[in-house]
Amino acid sequence: MKVEYLVIHHSFTKDGLVVDWKAIRDYHINTNGWDDIGYHYGIEKVNGDYVIISGRSEDTNGAHTKEQGMNSKSLGICVIGNYDLGEPDKRAFDLLVILCVGLCKKYKLTADKIRTHHEYANYKTCPGSKFPMDKLRNEADRMLKEG
Ligand SMILES: [Zn+2]
């Protein structure tokens, strides 16, 4: 897979006390019949602190944005939580910026290649109507230009 974009998602579920990533992964495998969770990375709060969790390997097509062939040209990143209800926690957001900047550097992408699921599937608000997407692109852009 040639990575041309990063696509940001939310889980649309409340971030619980336990590892919700596992429940999502189980659902994708057992209910959807997929080989693995549909996303390449996730961000969630585990034992009181936010962590980046790996999903599918980066060289495997995703199963997160079927529109416009995006699964074969983007990495899917899911921030656990429902961001129709409010903005993500600052620590989750900061971790997402770091993850995106690292991936942009690795694949030589500019910050405008960080997209939302909603941009391809306008029937969804994913990653949430309150998600600060402009802020994400602006901060990533600033960090990429600093080098
Ligand atoms: Zn989504």
Side-chain angles (χ1 to χ4, degrees):
M1 171 166 78
K2 185 174 180 295
V3 177
E4 298 173 52
Y5 301 93
L6 306 179
V7 180
I8 311 300
H9 301 262
H10 68 158
S11 64
F12 202 63
T13 54
K14 190 175 183 315
D15 191 358
L17 295 173
V18 294
V19 184
D20 300 296
W21 185 256
K22 185 182 180 305
I24 296 169
R25 186 168 183 273
D26 288 348
Y27 185 86
H28 284 176
I29 293 172
N30 299 325
T31 305
N32 295 358
W34 299 345
D35 293 334
D36 200 351
I37 192 164
Y39 309 110
H40 296 87
Y41 288 102
I43 291 177
E44 93 163 295
K45 194 182 203 173
V46 177
N47 296 326
D49 214 351
Y50 285 92
V51 291
I52 295 170
I53 304 178
S54 293
R56 315 195 152 201
S57 77
E58 288 175 25
D59 50 19
T60 306
N61 283 6
H64 55 90
T65 306
K66 63 180 186 293
E67 291 78 11
Q68 297 180 41
M70 289 303 285
N71 281 331
S72 60
K73 53 189 175 187
S74 69
L75 297 178
I77 301 169
C78 182
V79 185
I80 305 296
N82 181 347
Y83 304 111
D84 279 338
L85 303 177
E87 289 200 6
D89 186 282
K90 186 183 184 307
R91 289 176 300 161
F93 182 82
D94 288 348
L95 214 49
L96 178 65
V97 173
I98 290 166
L99 176 63
C100 288
V101 167
L103 292 169
C104 282
K105 282 182 179 168
K106 182 172 180 181
Y107 293 103
K108 300 187 173 17
L109 307 176
T110 47
D112 63 307
K113 303 293 172 151
I114 306 171
R115 303 291 170 84
T116 64
H117 189 187
H118 169 76
E119 287 171 65
Y120 300 95
N122 62 15
Y123 56 94
K124 290 186 170 194
T125 59
C126 193
S129 54
K130 302 267 172 64
F131 197 91
M133 202 57 201
D134 287 341
K135 189 176 163 197
L136 172 61
R137 291 192 186 106
N138 289 340
E139 288 203 14
D141 185 53
R142 184 177 54 76
M143 287 173 73
L144 285 165
K145 283 173 179 163
E146 282 172 1

